[in-house]
Amino acid sequence: MKEKVISGHKNGITVMILAIVLYVIATVGVIVSANENNALFIVSILYLCIGWILFLGLKVLKPGEALVLTLFGKYVGTLKGDGFFFVNPFCTAFNPAADTRLGQSGDISDNKKNGLSGIVVSSGQIGATGELKAGSGKKISLKVMTLSNSRQKVNDVLGNPVEIAVAVMWKVTDTAKAVFAVDNYKEYLSLQCDSAVRNVVKLYPYDITENVDTTGDGQADDGSLRGSTEVVAGRIREEIQKKVEGAGLEIVDARITYLAYAPEIAAAMLQRQQASAVVDARKLIVDGAVGMVEMALERLGEKEIVNLDEERKAAMVSNLLVVLCGNHDAQPIVNSGSLY
């Protein structure tokens, strides 16, 4: 179904003033012809009884709002733009997602959540005392809103459980598709976000890993969830956009808001990271120590301070490496005898 924008109906003030004036005239007509029962009296009484129907066609829209109107079940068009409008009084606004609340969105709600992550579905808002309050109306927001789904536990490409949460910025671009193409476009968006996150996260390792292809070109690369957050978020946005295109929604942006190993393996992975850091540090220390030993031997040889045979050089190298690579300060031993 294609969206039809209703234009040229910003005459709400005129119609309201006219309806009020007619009510005044009808009231005066009833008073004047009360004892005559003529045509004026009958018409005035009829207008006083049904004249209020005109007020049903008055619609007020603020910037960034729209109304999808139906007439006896048939879609007649979408009212867009800010202003005071008058439309067919028998047209009704239709929005199946009017009472659905998305976490961290423009219509955030504190109600208890159902099985969908980050989404609340109800026929109205429940107050603190449990009474059912009226819904927020049938207007559709055209502003950019944010969907922050709850954390998901997903296995990465290596099978490690990872917890991840994303924030998706979205807006409605086609009100007819959003209302009529899917049952509830907010529920639909939330479910597609969960599905897209799972589909993309399973292609990446949490950290940089050898022999892993994350781009699908058949060659290993250094892509990872932790090191390539912008790339991963972009792929998540594209994945969601493909799924919600038919629902008249546009995904403006997507961002990863939380990323960590699942609690059951977090401690083990922390030990692994610590061990890797220790190994890297040791490599750096050894490289530096070897360079210092080479420099010491070269300086001793250049200045001919002492002549060392191969055995003594090996002993000196061993002692220097122990001193330079040790975890604790060296305890010197003074040799008061001959070197040989």
Side-chain angles (χ1 to χ4, degrees):
M1 182 173 292
K2 190 176 181 180
E3 182 184 61
K4 296 183 293 183
V5 179
I6 301 175
S7 58
H9 286 69
K10 289 188 178 182
N11 50 3
I13 292 291
T14 303
V15 174
M16 184 180 68
I17 295 175
L18 178 62
I20 294 174
V21 170
L22 290 177
Y23 254 107
V24 173
I25 295 175
T27 303
V28 173
V30 170
I31 296 174
V32 171
S33 59
N35 298 324
E36 298 180 6
N37 288 333
N38 54 14
L40 177 61
F41 179 80
I42 297 173
V43 171
S44 298
I45 290 294
L46 288 175
Y47 184 79
L48 290 176
C49 292
I50 64 174
W52 56 269
I53 295 178
L54 290 176
F55 293 99
L56 298 179
L58 299 176
K59 308 292 182 184
V60 179
L61 290 180
K62 293 179 287 187
E65 292 182 342
L67 277 176
V68 175
L69 301 177
T70 60
L71 181 61
F72 304 122
K74 182 179 180 181
Y75 173 62
V76 296
T78 300
L79 204 60
K80 285 186 176 180
D82 58 299
F84 195 15
F85 298 85
F86 176 76
V87 296
N88 190 329
F90 296 101
C91 286
T92 57
F94 180 67
N95 181 10
D99 297 316
T100 302
R101 303 291 179 261
L102 295 179
Q104 297 299 322
S105 187
D107 50 2
I108 186 172
S109 173
D110 293 330
N111 294 344
K112 292 182 179 180
K113 298 179 180 179
N114 67 349
L116 300 176
S117 58
I119 197 167
V120 178
V121 184
S122 63
S123 57
Q125 293 181 345
I126 305 298
T129 58
E131 71 274 10
L132 185 64
K133 298 182 180 179
S136 59
K138 300 297 183 180
K139 296 178 182 178
I140 298 176
S141 177
L142 303 179
K143 304 173 184 177
V144 176
M145 294 181 287
T146 303
L147 167 63
S148 182
N149 275 8
S150 59
R151 299 175 187 175
Q152 299 182 68
K153 184 182 292 186
V154 187
N155 291 337
D156 66 1
V157 69
L158 301 177
N160 298 321
V162 175
E163 287 188 349
I164 185 171
V166 297
V168 178
M169 279 62 76
W170 65 282
K171 65 179 180 179
V172 177
T173 55
D174 192 312
T175 57
K177 288 182 179 180
V179 171
F180 298 111
V182 293
D183 182 62
N184 187 317
Y185 64 89
K186 292 182 181 179
E187 290 183 17
Y188 182 77
L189 173 63
S190 181
L191 288 172
Q192 297 305 325
C193 287
D194 288 350
S195 175
V197 169
R198 291 185 177 276
N199 291 340
V200 174
V201 170
K202 69 181 183 181
L203 302 177
Y204 288 85
Y206 180 86
D207 214 339
I208 297 176
T209 306
E210 296 181 356
N211 301 322
V212 174
D213 175 23
T214 64
T215 58
D217 59 358
Q219 297 181 356
D221 52 70
D222 57 355
S224 65
L225 296 175
R226 190 173 66 89
S228 308
T229 54
E230 293 290 334
V231 176
V232 175
R235 293 187 67 171
I236 291 175
R237 188 196 70 80
E238 294 174 358
E239 182 79 11
I240 301 173
Q241 184 62 63
K242 293 177 183 178
K243 296 177 180 295
V244 301
E245 188 76 32
L249 306 179
E250 178 185 349
I251 307 302
V252 179
D253 198 5
R255 286 289 180 265
I256 296 176
T257 57
Y258 180 85
L259 177 64
Y261 280 116
E264 56 266 26
I265 67 165
M269 289 302 175
L270 179 59
Q271 292 179 350
R272 178 183 176 184
Q273 292 176 353
Q274 291 174 340
S276 177
V278 170
V279 171
D280 292 340
R282 286 296 176 185
K283 288 181 179 179
L284 183 61
I285 292 174
V286 170
D287 290 340
V290 171
M292 294 175 68
V293 170
E294 290 178 350
M295 182 180 64
L297 293 176
E298 289 178 1
R299 296 289 296 274
L300 289 173
E302 290 175 357
K303 295 188 176 183
E304 297 181 353
I305 297 175
V306 62
N307 293 322
L308 301 174
D309 57 18
E310 295 301 322
E311 182 179 353
R312 298 301 178 181
K313 286 184 180 180
M316 180 179 177
V317 169
S318 176
N319 292 335
L320 286 175
L321 289 178
V322 170
V323 171
L324 295 174
C325 298
N327 285 329
H328 305 285
D329 294 336
Q331 300 294 328
I333 298 175
V334 178
N335 185 5
S336 60
S338 173
L339 180 63
Y340 294 97

